[in-house]
Amino acid sequence: FGNTVTETANFMIDNSAPVLSAYADDAECVRGIPLAVNPSLINFAITAEDLGCGTFEHGDIVVTMTSSSGLPLVGNLTTDGSTGTTFHYAYTVSHLDPTGAVNITFDLMDSKGNIATQYSPADDEFSIDNTAPTLALTADKSCVLVGDEVTFTLDASDLGCATFDVSNISASIAGDANATLSAITQALDGSSQPIPDTYTFTYTVDAADSGLLTISADAADALGNMATTSTFDVTVDLNPLTLAVNLPQ
């Protein structure tokens, strides 16, 4: 009879890879703190879209975090929900994480095997500072008399991203609560230009001083990384050499 039936089937072809873009975080410079103390938490997000029929879930986005030296971060990364095409994360910074800028890469493959171009933010990553300042204290003399002025020089440097300047440095004399040190200032060269990472202060030996004086320098950067104390010993000579001339009678 020539009767025919036509049936159609619709299907979609997905050759489109997901697109990763628009990274943002809420920090610039942070310190890792042991979990017993309030941890440093970094929140960041990535935008991920798939224009095809393939699908993906939050857990399909692979996040890799390394320091600028190439070492992996050891803190805890967790997913923190999503809003539309924006996927949120939270990273708890460890005190064992390496100091330096953090490099983050994002990878994604949808359910059809389409692989997104790896995305790595160019400028927006944060930095971790788990490195304390370093101190080295010296002086222009180590054996003094009452009334002598001693000039101390402190080499103090900080390799991390946290703020560090003269306001982060202190000095004291052990066992002498009444001793008065001069203000700590940036050292200057012969042209009155600041010498990087070098500071100076003075102390005038008074009559109450005797024996061994231990001068200590301490510092902590703006994130609380504490330097190892540097000390310098000065001996006060209370028995200066005397000369007597005996003339013949």
Side-chain angles (χ1 to χ4, degrees):
F1 292 91
N3 296 316
T4 61
V5 176
T6 300
E7 293 186 1
T8 61
N10 297 321
F11 62 92
M12 296 182 65
I13 297 174
D14 182 2
N15 287 325
S16 298
V19 177
L20 296 165
S21 63
Y23 164 90
D25 65 56
D26 64 354
E28 293 184 3
C29 181
V30 294
R31 174 192 178 204
I33 305 176
L35 294 182
V37 185
N38 296 327
S40 293
L41 191 66
I42 305 300
N43 297 291
F44 61 91
I46 182 74
T47 297
E49 300 178 86
D50 196 336
L51 302 179
C53 59
T55 60
F56 64 86
E57 298 178 355
H58 202 159
D60 296 322
I61 302 175
V62 179
V63 183
T64 304
M65 305 175 70
T66 59
S67 72
S68 55
S69 61
L71 297 173
L73 271 60
V74 298
N76 185 42
L77 177 67
T78 59
T79 57
D80 195 24
S82 60
T83 306
T85 58
T86 302
F87 297 83
H88 301 274
Y89 296 86
Y91 180 71
T92 302
V93 183
S94 169
H95 66 291
L96 299 176
D97 279 334
T99 289
V102 175
N103 300 318
I104 307 178
T105 59
F106 298 88
D107 293 279
L108 174 61
M109 182 174 68
D110 68 17
S111 59
K112 300 304 178 183
N114 297 304
I115 299 174
T117 299
Q118 185 181 77
Y119 180 74
S120 179
D123 301 311
D124 293 332
E125 300 101 320
F126 57 91
S127 294
I128 294 174
D129 184 356
N130 283 329
T131 301
T134 58
L135 305 176
L137 182 63
T138 58
D140 63 345
K141 53 181 72 76
S142 60
C143 184
V144 296
L145 302 175
V146 171
D148 284 351
E149 182 180 80
V150 186
T151 299
F152 296 91
T153 300
L154 179 66
D155 292 327
S157 60
D158 186 33
L159 300 179
C161 58
T163 300
F164 181 77
D165 55 30
V166 67
S167 66
N168 300 103
I169 303 170
S170 63
S172 60
I173 297 180
D176 190 347
N178 296 319
T180 301
L181 297 167
S182 73
I184 302 172
T185 60
Q186 183 97 38
L188 303 177
D189 62 18
S191 301
S192 297
Q193 297 301 308
I195 302 174
D197 301 331
T198 305
Y199 304 87
T200 186
F201 59 94
T202 62
Y203 177 65
T204 300
V205 182
D206 64 37
D209 295 322
S210 63
L212 187 68
L213 300 178
T214 298
I215 294 81
S216 300
D218 294 281
D221 65 22
L223 288 178
N225 294 302
M226 296 187 65
T228 300
T229 299
S230 181
T231 63
F232 189 89
D233 290 335
V234 174
T235 300
V236 180
D237 187 354
L238 298 179
N239 298 292
L241 177 67
T242 58
L243 296 176
V245 178
N246 295 315
L247 299 175
Q249 298 295 324

